[in-house]
Amino acid sequence: MPGDVEVSECCGGPSGQTATNQEIKAKQSADQKQSKSIDKLLKVKKREYKQTNHCLLLLAPPTSASLGQLSGSASPTSSSIGSASVTTAVARSGGLQRWQPEPQPWGYKYICIILLSLGIVFYVTIRKGRQVSAEEEWAIASAPERAKAAAGTEPPLKLLSEEEYKSLFQFDGIWLGPKKSCECAQTKMTVYQMEDYIAKDQIASVKERREKEFEEYQRRYPSRTKDAIIAVPNTPLSYPIYGAEVMPWHTIVIPGLGFHGKSTEKVQVVLRASFGTLNTLADTSKDVVHGRGGKELTISTSNVKLLNHILGHVTYTSTVFLVNAVDMVSFETGSYLVKFPVTIQLLPLPKLFDPGPDNNIRDLVTITTKTFLRYHKLRVLLKSIRQFYPDIKVIVADDSEHPEKIEEANVEHFIMPFGKGWFAGRNLAVSQVTTKYYLWVDDDCLFTENTKIEKLVEVLENTNLDMVGGNVAGNDFKFKIFYEEGEDGSCLHIRSGSYHPLEGFPNCVITGGVINFFLARTEESRRVGYDPKLQRVAHVEFFMDGLGNLLVGSCRDVGIDHQSRDPATDSQLAAVEKTYSKFRTNTQEQIRLKLSLHYFKNRLKCYTRIG
């Protein structure tokens, strides 16, 4: 029958049959061993084949036949490698046959390498191009525009026309948009070009001295010219952008430092400072933290939790005595680099004024005034003050040529050199104030029932204002100040009115300057000061010097009156008024002095104002 073993006739008999069976068994055992050897050999050859043709297998999808050859799995038309049928087939072919893969042309290997190289270059190029495009799109396009760009229809990159963007960012007709230079256009306002008030042969030398002083000013106050700090996108580092402050020689723990990446490899973090040293309160080995107490601190660890523990306790110690400076500390790991500010600032001692146990107005406010020649006006003012505030202190600064004695209770009379000037007198009066606030009035004013100092005190006590004005005879003259910086000089614009209402006080507004009737914080006014070079007509100039330092308000519901301006009927008083007017009236020389002073002191290029 098919499959039975045939017995040779020469073997006849039972013994011959037994011998034949043993030989068959021995042969089958040898065939099995040989089959196993063939299987092992085939596996080795298959591994070599895969390594040799690896790139071809990656580049071309395998066929069912190749899968059958390389995987050892039987296909419907092929024999199972390592099975008995293979052994039989090999035996029938006349002995063992060494398994060989189909021979490949020698150039396949090199073609494969070239194709792989080209593929890598193409992939990297496309990837890089997509990244650059994405960065540009995020900077200039909205989401719908990015979708268009992805579809190959990028929108054009345009800016508004000059006419369009100059119609934006305007306040009171002044364009306050970004620009390198400013100008004072010829309008209905009065325009002063500062260089017109300096002698032509002196302009060059004056300008040179001015720019030298301006450079010194910028060096002393670097915060006025500090660069913008740009946040780095997609960084695994957290760091403070504001609030890290330290006094000279003091130490702080830098808030907010952290690493938020996920890494199983060692992470190295480096911090660098310029005006101080770095350390950490974390107790770790020198292998982890290097550079303790120096300007560069390096942390190396593969443990993210430990890294954040160390970063959370990094300290900064100021080692340079700086009153007001900023140290830009760098924070780096791998390809990520960020910078954050540490402010070094020596805090001033507070100066506090005792309001007294009963918070009486006399312990909070001192009235100040400046007089010149007009003692008859001054005495009327003092009398009106005593009618409403009998025990409040009054300070009088006097630069009359022939001073008269003012002997009244709670009045301090200070004599100055003759004609020393308007602002010098204000400086003297304010310098002698010992209360929290001072009330400035002219010597020809008149207190009335509407002169409620308490209302003005309430405003300052409950806001951040530094001074608040009222009205004089119903006129609450107030003005706004607009300042523009420019590379070749700055521009200043004075406009009447206010910026906006003062929250919580319906009769008050925020403004830039007020009339000669105001309540002010004593210490803040002293910091600004009144320029003694301005002797005759001066008022707006104080608020110009206080720009950026003083916050000013105005309340229309508190006022003071003005004494009669009718000509004096007494001949002696009429003569005094005539002499006074000579000093009071502005002159072209005084105007030139004032504007040339603004040119140098305030680095003003031009100046516009009402009237």
Side-chain angles (χ1 to χ4, degrees), residues 242-286:
Y242 177 80
E245 297 182 359
V246 63
M247 290 199 293
W249 307 113
H250 286 237
T251 298
I252 61 167
V253 174
I254 301 176
L257 294 182
F259 176 81
H260 304 280
K262 295 180 180 180
S263 178
T264 56
E265 300 178 355
K266 180 174 284 190
V267 178
Q268 185 179 79
V269 170
V270 182
L271 292 105
R272 297 183 183 88
S274 299
F275 302 142
T277 57
L278 300 164
N279 210 322
T280 179
L281 301 178
D283 185 7
T284 57
S285 66
K286 293 181 179 179

Side-chain angles (χ1 to χ4, degrees), residues 370-536:
K370 158 76 173 57
T371 195
F372 179 68
L373 302 177
R374 301 187 304 178
Y375 291 102
H376 59 294
K377 298 284 187 181
L378 175 62
R379 288 188 172 93
V380 172
L381 168 65
L382 293 175
K383 184 179 179 180
S384 70
I385 291 173
R386 292 296 168 235
Q387 183 179 352
F388 298 98
Y389 298 97
D391 56 355
I392 198 168
K393 182 189 289 187
V394 180
I395 294 177
V396 180
D398 184 358
D399 62 345
S400 302
E401 186 175 10
H402 303 290
E404 296 181 11
K405 285 187 177 181
I406 304 294
E407 296 179 346
E408 292 191 21
N410 295 315
V411 174
E412 295 182 0
H413 186 201
F414 293 92
I415 307 301
M416 304 169 61
F418 172 62
K420 190 63 178 176
W422 177 239
F423 269 14
R426 280 194 177 186
N427 277 335
L428 174 58
V430 174
S431 72
Q432 300 305 304
V433 173
T434 59
T435 53
K436 186 175 183 179
Y437 306 111
Y438 72 92
L439 181 76
W440 184 266
V441 296
D442 287 346
D443 62 353
D444 61 349
C445 285
L446 190 69
F447 273 55
T448 69
E449 293 181 353
N450 194 36
T451 311
K452 301 294 185 183
I453 303 176
E454 295 83 357
K455 285 189 175 182
L456 299 180
V457 169
E458 182 186 3
V459 172
L460 294 189
E461 289 282 290
N462 293 281
T463 67
N464 289 329
L465 293 182
D466 296 303
M467 63 170 50
V468 57
N471 72 77
V472 177
N475 177 19
D476 63 338
F477 172 70
K478 53 189 177 292
F479 53 90
K480 299 166 287 188
I481 304 177
F482 299 101
Y483 174 62
E484 299 180 275
E485 287 188 317
E487 293 179 351
D488 56 343
S490 303
C491 306
L492 200 74
H493 311 280
I494 306 295
R495 300 291 185 269
S496 63
S498 61
Y499 301 120
H500 55 77
L502 177 63
E503 186 177 355
F505 295 89
N507 295 310
C508 306
V509 294
I510 301 291
T511 188
V514 292
I515 202 166
N516 274 347
F517 168 57
F518 57 83
L519 184 75
R521 297 182 189 272
T522 303
E523 199 56 38
E524 279 66 23
S525 287
R526 286 173 179 163
R527 290 196 187 105
V528 176
Y530 297 88
D531 194 334
K533 289 182 178 180
L534 302 172
Q535 295 181 313
R536 291 200 176 189

Side-chain angles (χ1 to χ4, degrees), residues 12-175:
S15 60
Q17 185 175 0
T18 300
T20 301
N21 290 337
Q22 291 176 352
E23 289 175 359
I24 291 172
K25 289 180 179 180
K27 186 176 181 180
Q28 287 178 343
S29 176
D31 287 345
Q32 288 176 356
K33 290 180 180 180
Q34 206 170 34
S35 176
K36 290 180 180 181
S37 177
I38 291 172
D39 287 346
K40 187 175 182 181
L41 180 62
L42 288 175
K43 288 179 181 179
V44 172
K45 293 302 180 180
K46 283 192 294 180
R47 191 180 300 116
E48 291 176 354
Y49 182 86
K50 288 180 180 180
Q51 291 173 351
T52 304
N53 298 277
H54 181 244
C55 63
L56 292 176
L57 292 172
L58 289 176
L59 293 174
T63 62
S64 59
S66 62
L67 285 174
Q69 286 181 333
L70 296 177
S71 66
S73 61
S75 65
T77 58
S78 62
S79 299
S80 297
I81 298 175
S83 66
S85 59
V86 171
T87 305
T88 306
V90 172
R92 287 179 178 173
S93 63
L96 293 175
Q97 297 289 329
R98 185 175 182 180
W99 186 86
Q100 295 281 354
E102 293 184 8
Q104 304 291 343
W106 64 270
Y108 277 18
K109 184 185 294 185
Y110 300 103
I111 292 173
C112 170
I113 293 172
I114 293 171
L115 290 176
L116 273 177
S117 301
L118 291 174
I120 291 171
V121 171
F122 179 74
Y123 174 80
V124 171
T125 303
I126 294 300
R127 178 86 173 176
K128 184 177 180 181
R130 287 178 178 173
Q131 289 175 345
V132 172
S133 176
E135 291 169 359
E136 293 173 348
E137 289 167 5
W138 277 107
I140 61 172
S142 62
E145 290 171 334
R146 290 197 302 274
K148 291 178 182 179
T153 56
E154 290 193 18
L157 307 181
K158 300 188 301 181
L159 292 174
L160 295 174
S161 67
E162 182 176 351
E163 182 180 356
E164 287 176 311
Y165 71 69
K166 284 200 171 182
S167 67
L168 305 173
F169 322 124
Q170 289 206 13
F171 202 103
D172 266 21
I174 306 168
W175 185 61

